[in-house]
Each structure stands twice: as structure tokens, then as C-alpha cells.
Amino acid sequence: LKAKTLQAKADATGDLQDTTSTRDADQKYLDDLTATCEQKASDFGSRQELRAQEIEAINKAIDIISSSSVKGHAETYLPSLAQQQSADVAPALAMLRADMHVQAQARVAQYLSKRGKQLGSRVLSALAVRVSDDPFVKVKKMIK
């Protein structure tokens, strides 16, 4: 009887140790998982804020492109150039329009680059590089 009691006590002690170690491991896993989830939630929130700022910067760039200071140049310079009756009028207008486009494109690229650096956004920096590139390089090459 005493041997059975000692055996039962040893079994119970072993089970208690196994259960305790399993519980401790589960608690450690839960703590790690909770910390990971909190970190991911925090990262998600900061990325959402960054995306909102990127969208704001892109909207500002769109405003720059569509602003009257960019659009209005054709109306400002067209009448004065149209009054000149020379053969150089058409190339001058085309050059003027291309120059205005390049200036607006440079302003947008500069703004996006600046905001990308301020916000630490690789997306805006990449967009600034893409905007600053001339989209017609391939076409110009093919024409030449």
C-alpha cells in the first residue's frame, strides 16, 4: 500500500512538472505572440499614416501640375506669339509648351523627392525618380 502511494505521488509530481513546464512554455509563446501582434499593429498604424502623407504629397503634386500657373502659360504667351507673322512661330510654340511641361515635371519631381525624404518614403522617392525621367526617350530614339 505504501509503495502504491509513493508511486502515485511520484506520478503526480511528474505530471505536475510536465504540466507546469508546458504551461510555462505556453505562457512564453502567448507573451511572444502578444508582443508580435502589438508590434505589427503599431507598424500598421505608422504605415497607414505614412500612406496618408504620401497620398497628400501626390495630391499636392497633381495640384501643381494642374495649377493655373502651369496651365495659364499657353493663354499668356499664345496671343503675343500668334501676332508674330514668321515661319518660326510653330517651333517656338512647341518649344514653349515642351519647356513648360519640363518645368512642371521638374517641380513635381522636386516636390515628391523632398516629401519622400521628409517622410522617409521609398515609394515617393521612386515616384519622384520616375516623374523626373523623360517618358519620350524611347520615342525620340526611335525617331532619330
Side-chain angles (χ1 to χ4, degrees), residues 26-98:
D26 289 347
Q27 185 62 44
K28 182 181 181 308
Y29 176 75
L30 177 64
D31 293 342
D32 291 344
L33 187 61
T34 303
T36 301
C37 287
E38 288 174 357
Q39 180 64 39
K40 287 186 183 239
S42 172
D43 290 347
F44 178 77
S46 63
R47 283 193 309 270
Q48 287 295 96
E49 183 178 324
L50 179 65
R51 295 303 170 256
Q53 292 172 342
E54 287 175 344
I55 289 171
E56 179 183 332
I58 289 172
N59 286 335
K60 178 71 174 170
I62 290 170
D63 289 344
I64 289 171
I65 290 172
S66 62
S67 71
S68 62
S69 65
V70 175
K71 283 184 176 179
H73 285 300
E75 291 81 21
T76 303
Y77 295 111
L78 186 59
S80 65
L81 290 175
Q83 291 173 1
Q84 297 176 1
Q85 297 294 326
S86 81
D88 297 330
V89 172
L93 289 174
M95 287 179 185
L96 179 63
R97 182 176 297 146

